[in-house]
Amino acid sequence: YASDRLGAAVNFGYPIDQFSKLEFSFGFNHTTIQLPEKPAVEFVEFIEENGNSYDFIESSVSWNRSTLNRGIFPTRGMRNRLSAKVVLPVISDYNFYKIGFRNDQYFPITDDEEWALHFRGETAYGDGYGGDDGLPFFENYFSGGISSVRGFDSNSLGPLSTPDPEDDDPDNDPLGGNFQIETSLEFIFPFVVVEDNSQVRSLFFIDAGNVFDTTRSVDPELSLDELRVSAGVGFTWLTPIGPLSFSLGKALNTKSGDDKQFFQFLLGQTF
């Protein structure tokens, strides 16, 4: 499907102390959905019940705390983010909310801090309220990819769609879900090819995660057994045009319908 969005928002932040701040946002969003010629059954059912054009009045708040020793390539400290967003009732065409939490912790192993451990944990949940059941499908969470669960194709994990019965070449595309859980452990080590590691970062990683739909009885059902796990190596280089990240990831517990991707790269974001 295609989504066209037009909106405006006011954002402002308030520092609580040296390490923490609150951020607020209030805005308007108009979304129009266009379905392809032979869309998934789930998309058709949602559009038939709710229409394809939506006006949202959105309000959000987040709490951020960071004690990292540096903004890029940290080796020590912690970063937390807790966020919540709600679409306000009466004025909005569909009522839903989202909450999320992410934690990053870095532990230096050696005195020079060139060897370190990085733990990441992230979870997010959303649902409808006031008579609206579940998230709109275009607001779902997705999992898989270089910034999520490496070794699996980008946004490929979780429940799959039901193809149009008249589609001659059916494909079960990922739907996303309203509950996401991810975690990773990275072992950071110096890149031996260069003497100055201030512009590069190399690491071994183990990722785990998936996305679920708790509002419907679909596969995969919410269970730790359904978490996908991968392992591999990653490398980031701070180039003149921005960070360039690569990963070689091996999916360790694939199941039917999973899309693997051994080599992945990303421009503009570090691990």
Side-chain angles (χ1 to χ4, degrees):
Y1 66 91
S3 64
D4 296 326
R5 302 195 182 200
L6 177 65
V10 176
N11 306 281
F12 60 97
Y14 178 79
I16 302 174
D17 54 35
Q18 181 181 358
F19 304 106
S20 307
K21 66 177 179 178
L22 289 173
E23 294 180 334
F24 303 90
S25 177
F26 183 82
F28 168 80
N29 176 14
H30 175 76
T31 300
T32 302
I33 303 298
Q34 299 176 1
L35 297 181
E37 182 179 355
K38 296 180 179 180
V41 172
E42 290 82 1
F43 298 164
V44 174
E45 292 176 347
F46 188 90
I47 295 298
E48 288 179 348
E49 182 177 353
N50 301 283
N52 70 330
S53 180
Y54 307 88
D55 291 327
F56 299 132
I57 302 297
E58 301 175 339
S59 178
S60 65
V61 59
S62 65
W63 168 77
N64 299 271
R65 177 176 174 81
S66 177
T67 60
L68 299 179
N69 59 336
R70 60 177 73 104
I72 298 179
F73 293 165
T75 56
R76 173 172 30 88
M78 177 175 58
R79 177 175 55 206
N80 294 318
R81 176 178 173 84
L82 177 64
S83 62
K85 181 178 82 170
V86 61
V87 170
L88 302 181
V90 181
I91 303 175
S92 302
D93 293 324
Y94 194 97
N95 303 317
F96 66 91
Y97 65 89
K98 286 182 166 183
I99 55 176
F101 178 74
R102 173 167 174 154
N103 172 259
D104 289 90
Q105 294 191 8
Y106 291 84
F107 305 95
I109 300 176
T110 58
D111 293 337
D112 58 10
E113 298 188 3
E114 289 190 347
W115 301 73
L117 292 176
H118 170 215
F119 170 78
R120 173 182 68 94
E122 187 170 2
T123 185
Y125 178 83
D127 202 354
Y129 73 93
D132 293 318
D133 186 23
L135 290 176
F137 63 85
F138 49 87
E139 289 285 345
N140 278 345
Y141 300 107
F142 288 86
S143 188
I146 190 171
S147 58
S148 176
V149 183
R150 288 160 283 195
F152 292 89
D153 199 5
S154 179
N155 299 333
S156 65
L157 298 179
L160 300 178
S161 64
T162 305
D164 188 314
E166 299 181 358
D167 194 343
D168 297 330
D169 186 21
D171 190 13
N172 299 96
D173 294 320
L175 280 174
N178 72 313
F179 179 63
Q180 179 189 54
I181 181 170
E182 293 178 355
T183 185
S184 68
L185 179 64
E186 296 179 341
F187 175 64
I188 301 167
F189 59 92
F191 193 58
V192 295
V193 178
V194 297
E195 294 183 3
D196 182 11
N197 277 263
S198 63
Q199 302 298 309
V200 297
R201 166 155 289 185
S202 50
L203 53 88
F204 295 110
F205 68 83
I206 299 177
D207 291 344
N210 208 336
V211 65
F212 306 90
D213 192 335
T214 64
T215 63
R216 299 184 300 135
S217 298
V218 296
D219 291 327
E221 295 183 353
L222 181 57
S223 169
L224 291 179
D225 294 337
E226 291 296 336
L227 294 182
R228 299 298 190 268
V229 180
S230 64
V233 295
F235 175 79
T236 297
W237 175 32
L238 299 182
T239 72
I241 61 173
L244 184 60
S245 298
F246 304 88
S247 75
L248 300 175
K250 170 67 174 178
L252 300 180
N253 63 338
T254 58
K255 295 189 178 183
S256 177
D258 289 345
D259 292 328
K260 298 179 293 183
Q261 192 174 55
F262 179 70
F263 173 76
Q264 297 173 320
F265 72 94
L266 179 67
L267 178 64
Q269 183 176 330
T270 63
F271 290 126

